[in-house]
Amino acid sequence: MNPAKRYALTFPGTPGTQAPQDVVVVTRTSATGPGGHPVYEDESGIVRAEISDAGEVRMLASGGHQTPHLPVHAHPLS
């Protein structure tokens, strides 16, 4: 299976509020993650994730002291 070039990652809103979910579009990079799957990142390079062919997501820290949240959903865009 050919991995998608872009994904929309949906994250939960702020706990305890009525805030909407956050959606971040990530694009495939030339990097491979620790699980051997493609690494995707947003335009800023802050949101980074390894996404398998099965749509399993592993968030990757892009800097020190980061504790990345897991997305609720990863939707392939193309």
Side-chain angles (χ1 to χ4, degrees):
M1 178 181 237
N2 220 359
K5 292 181 183 177
R6 297 182 319 138
Y7 277 88
L9 301 179
T10 305
F11 295 88
T14 305
T17 70
Q18 300 267 338
Q21 294 180 326
D22 293 320
V23 178
V24 178
V25 175
V26 292
T27 304
R28 188 172 60 209
T29 68
S30 60
T32 302
H37 304 287
V39 172
Y40 294 77
E41 66 182 25
D42 71 340
E43 288 183 0
S44 72
I46 294 172
V47 177
R48 300 184 77 227
E50 176 183 13
I51 304 176
S52 74
D53 291 346
E56 300 165 320
V57 180
R58 177 187 297 182
M59 296 304 296
L60 305 172
S62 60
H65 306 292
Q66 251 188 343
T67 53
H69 296 281
L70 288 177
V72 174
H73 183 70
H75 180 75
L77 298 176
S78 59

